[in-house]
Each structure stands twice: as structure tokens, then as C-alpha cells.
Amino acid sequence: MQSDAKKTGLLSIVSTGPGNTQQLTPAALKAIAKAEYIIGNNVYIDLIRPLITGKEVVKSPMGEEVNRAQMALDLAASHRVAMVSGGDAGVYGMASIVLEVAERTQSEVLVEVIPGVTAATAAASRLGSPLSGDYVTLSLSDLLTPWEVIEERLDLASRMGVPVAIYNPRSRGRPHNLDTAIAVIGRHRGDETPVGVVRNAYRPGEEVHVMTLAELRADTSPIDMHSIVIIGGIESRIWKVGDDVRGIITPRGYHRKYVY
Amino acid sequence: MQSDAKKTGLLSIVSTGPGNTQQLTPAALKAIAKAEYIIGNNVYIDLIRPLITGKEVVKSPMGEEVNRAQMALDLAASHRVAMVSGGDAGVYGMASIVLEVAERTQSEVLVEVIPGVTAATAAASRLGSPLSGDYVTLSLSDLLTPWEVIEERLDLASRMGVPVAIYNPRSRGRPHNLDTAIAVIGRHRGDETPVGVVRNAYRPGEEVHVMTLAELRADTSPIDMHSIVIIGGIESRIWKVGDDVRGIITPRGYHRKYVY
């Protein structure tokens, strides 16, 4: 009579990568396949639609993350639940808020995080090798972080001289954050700094643009909230074969060690 | 008679993730399956051994990256070649050196980079959600980057207040870099700062340790070159249920926006 009480649940926070079923790991696919409930925001649920036929799907709009986390924990007390989150769930994804709610409620529910291809490296792969080594990951969204904090971080990141991968470079509510960010970066990086913009990496409508910081300053039109902007470091350069632009290379330093 | 000359090659630089076949994407698996030649260093070749039966395998030792890149480009002029690289190939991996050699030789060979689960987020997933948002990726290896540059970057990264994911925290040749790095971080972070150490993430012999910066300073013994060290940001905290340590949470800032 107590079979229900004995049933052990599991909440898998599943990273779905850039949003193409070719870019989820087998571990992520398995967690989705085994789940009784799938929870996520509408955008990510739609991207993995082919994988979830016949499952109980709980959609939830952007902005409802706290409720979604609580709902997932409640269901996972006695069911297998997959909370899906784009890119890597541990980077601007659902992992932190789920664990914050689990901590506050001192939840004993089993929770696992399944890593995935994060948006910065997905975008980088389309540009050649713009990151290569040390780099900074930074979001321009001031929804959860005060703008002064973002600006201070961006200034320090630019002083580091390494590439900076910018998430949420522009949204409808904050159209001018990117212009301000470009001005901050410009204090420490020259006009010729290579910049890569990747919109909808590995998704329908993918666009890849290579330009300079000066060109970005003059025209930010290809950039929206589905884009990642990679600002090159002080050693980054545009990779050309003849006059043909192939991408961006940030050298790792082999030229300092080897003659080649 | 000219069939060989017409044969078009392709060099796929394939990210193999943490080194467990459950953590490669279908796109990576497909590129490996289609390749006639597999090139990589011994460690990564061995980790994907089950996937490459019957293929021509060109192993190459660590330290021979420039030769390996040239060999891959030569073969890929007329064959399908997969260059395998651990984690994400665009982060401390083989993508940059292959493209540097392609640029120098003005190679027309088709090259694609297939992204993967990068070591920072693989390690983070074992610790709960220590990165969550903005963070810095930094290597302590001074093989290709002068130590003064690394130290300056680490100082600026610590001042940003965000988590720092440290690659190559210790190697046989440079046993004291980590102690120096801890001293630099200590200028800007308190003794209670949470630190996560993940050794061999998703590989045999995996270890996960949660400690404070003071504890790390006193005992760095669990750390070797197969480890990632995540230094918490100013808002990071150790996640406990009762007295049981579950991991590290870096909040994203929902507490500033919502009551929950």
C-alpha cells in the first residue's frame, strides 16, 4: 500500500546545447528518454520536440524560472523529471535557480546536472578558433545583475587582454547596453580588434559575421538576443586565405616556443 | 586517371568532451565514424578507442602539436580526417594550432570545428552550479604564456568578483604555480570563498572536492594536471542540506528580483 511513498524520484537538469539534436550528448538524450516529465521554457521544448513524443510536457514561459524550479522539485520527489535548459544548464541556465530553491527548502530530492555544449564554444566553433585559451564569459543582461556591476566587469575583462564572449548582447528592453559595452571595450582594445557575431548557432537561420571593433561600433544590426558576440583578445587576428575571410584565430602561443 | 586529384578532403577538428563516450555529441560521433584517418594525442585516442576500430590511427605525443597539425592538413587534402581533441577543441585544444598552420601555409583544405562539452562546464556540473553566469576561464600553464601575463590576468579576474575556472592548475614541471595563484586570488577573495576541485570528470577515478580557499591554501594535494579548480565568486556559497555538503551555488540574482 505504500508503493508510492517508496518510489524514488530524480531531477535531471539537462543541457540541450545549441538546440539541434545533433549537438546533445548521449547522456542528455538518455536522461530525456527516461524522464516521465519534461519541463522547460517554450523555446527549448520546441527545439527538442522530436525527442519527447508521448511524454508529459510542462511548458513554462520565460520569466517564470522560480516557479518552474519549484514545480520540478515537487514532481521529482516521486518521478523522473528532466528540466531542459539551452546551451550548458550551468551557464546562464536553469541549474542555479533549481539548486537555490532546493537549498532554501532543504530539499532531499536527488538532483543531477548533465553538461552540454555551451553557447560560447558553439559560436566559437563557427568562427574558427577565436577563444583558444583564456577567455571571459559575460552577459549584458541587466535583468538580474545591476548595470554598474556589468560595466565594471567588462572593463576588467577588457584589461585582461583575452577574448570576451558576450551573451545577451541585445534585447528589446535594453537596446543601448551594447553601444555602452563597445565604448567600455574601446578603452582597452583598438579599432582593428576582430569581432565575431554568431546568430542562431546550429539552428535554422544561422548567421556568422566577422568584422572589426570599428565596424561593430558603426553597425550592430546583425545582433539580437539569439546572438553571441566574441570580442577578440589583443593577439586575435582575422584568418584569411588570399582575400577570403575564413574566421578568427587567437594564437595560443606556439609561436613563442617553436619555429614553424 | 585523375580520380585521386579530384577527391576532396575534409579536416574535422572534433571535440571529444571529458573523455567518456556518453559525453560526445552525435555530430562528433558522426565525424569520427566518417573519417578515414584519426589523429590525436595518445590520451584522447585511448579514451575513444571503442569508436575507432578499423580506422587508420595516427597517434602523436603531447608536445608535438605543430607537427600533428601539419600532418592533419596534408592528409586532409585528399582524405576525410578527424583530429580529436579533449574537452572543447576551441579551448586549450587543437583548433587554434591547426588554423595557425593553415593560415601560414595559406591552405585551401576544408576545415570544420565540431564543438563539445568543455572541461569547465563538465567539472561545474559535478559541483552543482558554481559558475551559473559570468565567469573567467584561465590556465596556469606557463608553457605557452609567460607567467607574469597569467598573474596579471588572474589578478584582474579576481577583481571581477566572478567565479574563475582554472585549467592546468598543477603539473610536474611547475608545482608552485598554484600556490602563487592562490596568493594572488587571496588579495581579492576571503578565506571562506568556496572552491571546487574536480579530478578526472566523467572518467575513471573521478574525484569531487568542495572546500574553502583557506582549506585549499593549506592542502592542495587532490590537485593534478587532470583537475579543474573552480574558485567561487563573491556571491558563491557552499550548498548544504543539514550538515551534508552537496556542492557550490553561485546565485544568478533572482533574489534581487523576486521574493521566493
Side-chain angles (χ1 to χ4, degrees):
Chain A
M1 291 303 185
Q2 302 214 339
S3 64
D4 253 23
K6 281 184 201 161
K7 192 171 166 190
T8 309
L10 170 65
L11 174 53
S12 303
I13 305 173
V14 180
S15 303
T16 57
N20 167 320
T21 54
Q22 284 298 299
Q23 305 287 345
L24 277 88
T25 64
L29 292 166
K30 199 173 290 179
I32 291 169
K34 285 192 174 172
E36 298 159 85
Y37 289 88
I38 307 287
I39 302 188
N41 90 36
N42 302 346
V43 177
Y44 299 120
I45 292 281
D46 287 342
L47 285 167
I48 60 159
R49 178 70 53 196
L51 306 174
I52 56 175
T53 351
K55 292 187 187 290
E56 198 72 45
V57 174
V58 185
K59 284 193 187 188
S60 133
M62 196 84 83
E64 291 288 321
E65 289 82 5
V66 177
N67 292 344
R68 195 189 308 153
Q70 187 61 63
M71 198 190 316
L73 286 162
D74 290 346
L75 279 169
S78 53
H79 295 90
R80 288 191 76 127
V81 177
M83 159 83 83
V84 297
S85 185
D88 185 284
V91 182
Y92 311 110
M94 287 298 297
S96 60
I97 188 62
V98 169
L99 300 188
E100 282 189 72
V101 172
E103 179 192 46
R104 183 181 53 82
T105 59
Q106 288 287 292
S107 171
E108 297 278 0
V109 167
L110 285 177
V111 181
E112 63 173 3
V113 179
I114 296 179
V117 177
T118 190
T121 74
S125 73
R126 290 311 213 192
L127 289 162
S129 190
L131 300 178
S132 301
D134 301 344
Y135 71 98
V136 176
T137 301
L138 201 77
S139 165
L140 297 191
S141 167
D142 55 2
L143 203 62
L144 300 173
T145 305
W147 178 256
E148 310 79 65
V149 173
I150 296 171
E151 199 169 315
E152 168 75 3
R153 288 177 184 170
L154 189 58
D155 185 77
L156 291 163
S158 303
R159 288 171 58 187
M160 287 176 69
V162 302
V164 180
I166 296 180
Y167 284 62
N168 303 308
R170 173 181 282 146
S171 67
R172 275 156 296 190
R174 287 150 279 123
H176 303 301
N177 287 6
L178 181 58
D179 296 329
T180 311
I182 293 169
V184 172
I185 293 162
R187 295 176 198 156
H188 310 288
R189 299 282 161 87
D191 278 354
E192 295 309 305
T193 301
V195 173
V197 175
V198 181
R199 192 164 168 259
N200 288 319
Y202 297 95
R203 294 186 296 272
E206 180 184 273
E207 289 176 38
V208 179
H209 304 273
V210 174
M211 61 189 83
T212 64
L213 188 59
E215 287 163 347
L216 178 69
R217 190 180 293 122
D219 177 15
T220 57
S221 60
I223 299 169
D224 64 7
M225 62 184 293
H226 305 290
S227 310
I228 293 283
V229 176
I230 296 181
I231 309 288
I234 50 174
E235 294 196 294
S236 304
R237 58 185 186 248
I238 292 176
W239 164 35
K240 289 183 183 177
V241 177
D243 290 332
D244 188 26
V245 171
R246 297 287 172 101
I248 297 173
I249 296 176
T250 300
R252 282 217 32 222
Y254 289 100
H255 59 283
R256 283 189 284 271
K257 195 172 161 73
Y258 304 97
V259 178
Y260 65 92
Chain B
M1 288 303 183
Q2 302 215 338
S3 65
D4 254 23
K6 283 183 201 161
K7 192 171 165 190
T8 309
L10 171 66
L11 175 53
S12 304
I13 305 174
V14 181
S15 304
T16 58
N20 168 319
T21 53
Q22 284 299 297
Q23 305 287 344
L24 279 86
T25 64
L29 292 166
K30 200 173 286 179
I32 291 170
K34 285 194 175 171
E36 297 159 84
Y37 289 88
I38 307 286
I39 302 189
N41 90 35
N42 303 346
V43 177
Y44 298 120
I45 292 281
D46 288 342
L47 284 167
I48 59 158
R49 179 68 54 196
L51 306 175
I52 56 176
T53 356
K55 292 186 187 291
E56 198 73 44
V57 173
V58 185
K59 283 192 187 190
S60 136
M62 196 83 81
E64 292 286 323
E65 289 81 6
V66 177
N67 292 343
R68 194 188 308 153
Q70 187 60 64
M71 197 189 317
L73 285 162
D74 290 346
L75 279 168
S78 54
H79 296 91
R80 289 190 75 127
V81 178
M83 158 83 83
V84 297
S85 186
D88 185 284
V91 182
Y92 312 111
M94 288 298 297
S96 59
I97 187 61
V98 169
L99 300 188
E100 282 188 73
V101 173
E103 177 192 48
R104 183 181 53 80
T105 58
Q106 288 286 294
S107 171
E108 297 278 359
V109 167
L110 284 177
V111 181
E112 63 171 4
V113 180
I114 296 180
V117 177
T118 190
T121 73
S125 73
R126 291 310 213 191
L127 289 162
S129 190
L131 301 178
S132 303
D134 301 345
Y135 71 99
V136 175
T137 301
L138 201 77
S139 166
L140 297 191
S141 168
D142 55 1
L143 204 63
L144 300 174
T145 305
W147 177 256
E148 310 78 65
V149 173
I150 296 171
E151 201 169 314
E152 168 75 4
R153 288 176 183 171
L154 190 56
D155 185 78
L156 291 164
S158 302
R159 287 172 57 188
M160 287 175 69
V162 302
V164 181
I166 297 181
Y167 284 62
N168 303 307
R170 172 182 281 147
S171 67
R172 275 156 299 190
R174 288 149 279 124
H176 302 301
N177 287 6
L178 181 58
D179 296 329
T180 312
I182 293 169
V184 172
I185 293 162
R187 294 176 199 156
H188 310 288
R189 299 282 162 90
D191 279 354
E192 296 307 306
T193 301
V195 173
V197 175
V198 181
R199 192 165 167 258
N200 288 317
Y202 297 96
R203 295 186 296 273
E206 178 184 275
E207 288 175 40
V208 179
H209 304 273
V210 173
M211 62 189 82
T212 63
L213 187 59
E215 287 163 349
L216 178 70
R217 191 180 293 124
D219 177 15
T220 58
S221 60
I223 299 170
D224 65 7
M225 64 183 290
H226 305 290
S227 309
I228 294 284
V229 177
I230 296 181
I231 309 287
I234 49 172
E235 293 196 295
S236 305
R237 58 183 185 250
I238 293 177
W239 164 35
K240 289 181 182 179
V241 177
D243 289 332
D244 188 25
V245 170
R246 298 286 172 99
I248 297 173
I249 296 175
T250 300
R252 282 212 41 216
Y254 290 100
H255 58 285
R256 283 190 284 271
K257 196 172 159 72
Y258 303 98
V259 178
Y260 66 92

